[in-house]
Amino acid sequence: MEHNIEEETPVPRGPKHGFLPIVTNWFDRLFIGIYLFVALELLWMRFLEQSIPLTVCHVLAIALGALIVWKG
Amino acid sequence: MGSNRTGWLLLAPTLIILGGFGIVPFIYVLWVSFHQWNPFGANPAMIYNGADNFRRLVFDTEFLQSVWFTMQFGFFAVVSEIVIGYLLAQLLMRDFPGKSIFRTIHTLPLIVAPIVVGSVWRLMTTPSIGIIPYYLNHWFGYQMNIGSSATAAFVTTVVMDIWHWTPLVTLTLLAAIVGLPKDPFEQAQIDGANRWQIFWHITLPMIRPAILATVFIRLMDALRTVDEIWMLTGGGPGAATRYVGLHIWKIVFPKTDYGYGSAISVIVLYLTLVMCWLLYVGLVAPRVKRST
């Protein structure tokens, strides 16, 4: 009975080199995503909410967070 | 399997304490920050108000001003403490008469409670009876009054913080310097490097993690300072030294506006984390090496 070693070996979830200028793991990227989420929400409330609803910011911030976690 | 269980058992007290005193209160503050809650007001019920507290906060000039003052306070205090602390640590690396007495006296401010430091500095800076205004007037003709001059009050709070916390920086940097290997320094001296080159290219890079850890600790402390400032200036004159910790205190205790105070606390925690993270990224985070 032969096992395919490549299929069984788990993919390591260690440091990753994405578009961010520093070496990060998934938790770092999640953290950066949360930082940016909060910053965007606060800035939106201060400067843009009078003309564009906050829901747009939620969508953009979540999309940005997902992009950072996935590709960052 | 057995060792795994033993590991979790050994970790359990720490996790329980961390969870009970750190994580649960944080989640509770986060929960309260999305509510309007004045438990001593006409309506003591907790009313969910979405992001209204945060919306109020980004337009609150008093809060934004207090954040700006706190940043200035943190910057001047922490930079001065690191520079003076490093120089004192280098001094303590040498032998001189009375070194142990100096080290003991120099470390004494660390064991004084912040509220006592504030009251002592208040006595020392009160115009009619304080020793500092007396000598400033006697030697330089400067009339110091922290009750009327915003600049004098700000500088006094920074100097008080430096006096109180520089010994901590000295001790941590001293520990870092003592632990450095001798070889690179001897090598550099043989190669003809001068003192500045040795400091810039050897000492500083090698003690960078210790400096960063110290900056983190001091920055976090400086951003949440309350008792010393409350005792020394009470946030005045006007709101010149109403740093953000004091601002939160005034919102939560005299005004009993727990919801808004919690929202400010969450944002201050956020700002502290962002600043520490930026420092980490700027100074020690490993860079991605991209092949061109």
Side-chain angles (χ1 to χ4, degrees), chain B residues 272-287:
Chain B
T272 311
L273 286 173
V274 167
M275 278 192 277
C276 289
W277 184 79
L278 288 175
L279 272 172
Y280 166 75
V281 169
L283 293 178
V284 291
R287 309 272 155 191

Side-chain angles (χ1 to χ4, degrees), chain A residues 17-23 31-32 34-36 38-39 42 45-46 49-50 54, chain B residues 51 54-55 57-59 64 267 270 273-274 277 280-281 285-290:
Chain A
H17 298 187
F19 64 78
L20 293 171
I22 54 168
V23 179
F31 221 55
I32 295 167
I34 293 170
Y35 284 162
L36 288 176
V38 176
L42 291 174
M45 278 193 273
R46 179 73 175 81
E49 202 186 5
Q50 319 291 335
L54 198 61
Chain B
F54 296 94
R55 199 168 280 118
L57 174 154
V58 291
F59 288 99
L64 297 175
I267 291 303
Y270 168 77
L273 286 173
V274 167
W277 184 79
Y280 166 75
V281 169
R287 309 272 155 191
V288 172
K289 287 172 188 155
R290 297 185 201 279

Side-chain angles (χ1 to χ4, degrees), chain B residues 5 7-8 17 19 44 46 56 64 89-90 120 123 125 144 149-150 169 173 190 218-219 230 252 272 276-277:
Chain B
R5 190 184 294 169
W8 280 111
I17 290 169
M46 204 189 263
R56 177 180 162 194
L64 297 175
Q90 285 291 3
V120 169
L123 277 176
T125 52
M144 180 189 180
S149 164
V169 179
L173 295 186
I190 291 166
R218 285 304 310 132
L219 190 64
W230 180 72
V252 172
T272 311
C276 289
W277 184 79

Side-chain angles (χ1 to χ4, degrees), chain A residues 32-42 44 54-69:
Chain A
I32 295 167
I34 293 170
Y35 284 162
L36 288 176
F37 180 90
V38 176
L40 271 176
E41 294 278 334
L42 291 174
W44 199 283
L54 198 61
T55 317
V56 179
C57 180
H58 295 338
V59 174
L60 286 177
I62 290 170
L64 180 66
L67 182 72
I68 287 170
V69 173

Side-chain angles (χ1 to χ4, degrees), chain A residues 42, chain B residues 26 29-30 32-35 52-58 60-64 66-67 70 223 242-252 255 257-272:
Chain A
L42 291 174
Chain B
F26 168 70
V29 168
L30 194 63
V32 173
S33 71
F34 288 98
H35 292 78
D52 279 358
N53 287 329
F54 296 94
R55 199 168 280 118
R56 177 180 162 194
L57 174 154
V58 291
D60 182 351
T61 46
E62 270 190 9
F63 165 69
L64 297 175
S66 76
V67 169
T70 311
L223 294 181
R242 191 194 275 196
Y243 303 135
V244 77
L246 203 57
H247 188 68
I248 294 171
W249 181 84
K250 290 200 172 184
I251 298 249
V252 172
K255 293 187 181 174
D257 192 345
Y258 281 67
Y260 187 48
S262 300
I264 296 180
S265 302
V266 170
I267 291 303
V268 171
L269 174 67
Y270 168 77
L271 290 175
T272 311

